[in-house]
Amino acid sequence: MLTGRQRSYLRSLANTMEPIFQVGKGGINDNLVKQFDDALEARELIKATVLRNSEFDAREAADEIAERTGADVVQVIGNRFVLYRESKKNRDISAALSMIR
């Protein structure tokens, strides 16, 4: 679970990021979840977009994917959302987060 300061720090990092995933009319399937899982392991922090033709809104998609990948929802704004999960091998962000309480 993230503290408010940690969440604020992650939001500042995500501000300049471009979305790397799109959730569309295909919805959230096992393949998409696997891609999110792999990206979270590699990057720790990812941004995604929910398209208009999706059956999910951004909050629903973020909650569903976070639950299935073990990630934390950092932020949901409009049709975009940001997820964070500490990496087992690539701990770039989590090292800085451990200093923020």
Side-chain angles (χ1 to χ4, degrees), residues 22-37 54-56 61 64-65 68-69:
Q22 294 180 336
V23 178
K25 68 180 180 180
I28 299 170
N29 55 33
D30 292 337
N31 185 36
L32 183 66
V33 172
K34 172 78 170 110
Q35 290 176 3
F36 269 93
D37 193 51
S54 176
E55 61 190 55
F56 296 96
E64 173 76 19
I65 293 168
R68 292 177 68 176
T69 59

Side-chain angles (χ1 to χ4, degrees), residues 39-94:
L40 284 165
E41 180 59 34
R43 299 176 180 217
E44 293 187 303
L45 187 69
I46 57 173
K47 186 186 277 189
T49 302
V50 178
L51 301 177
R52 288 186 189 155
N53 62 357
S54 176
E55 61 190 55
F56 296 96
D57 67 11
R59 172 56 70 182
E60 294 169 340
D63 289 341
E64 173 76 19
I65 293 168
E67 181 180 322
R68 292 177 68 176
T69 59
D72 289 310
V73 177
V74 174
Q75 182 177 37
V76 178
I77 293 182
N79 65 339
R80 294 182 182 197
F81 63 91
V82 179
L83 299 178
Y84 168 78
R85 185 182 73 197
E86 183 177 327
S87 175
K88 295 178 179 98
K89 297 177 184 173
N90 305 319
R91 294 184 178 194
D92 295 332
I93 298 172
S94 59

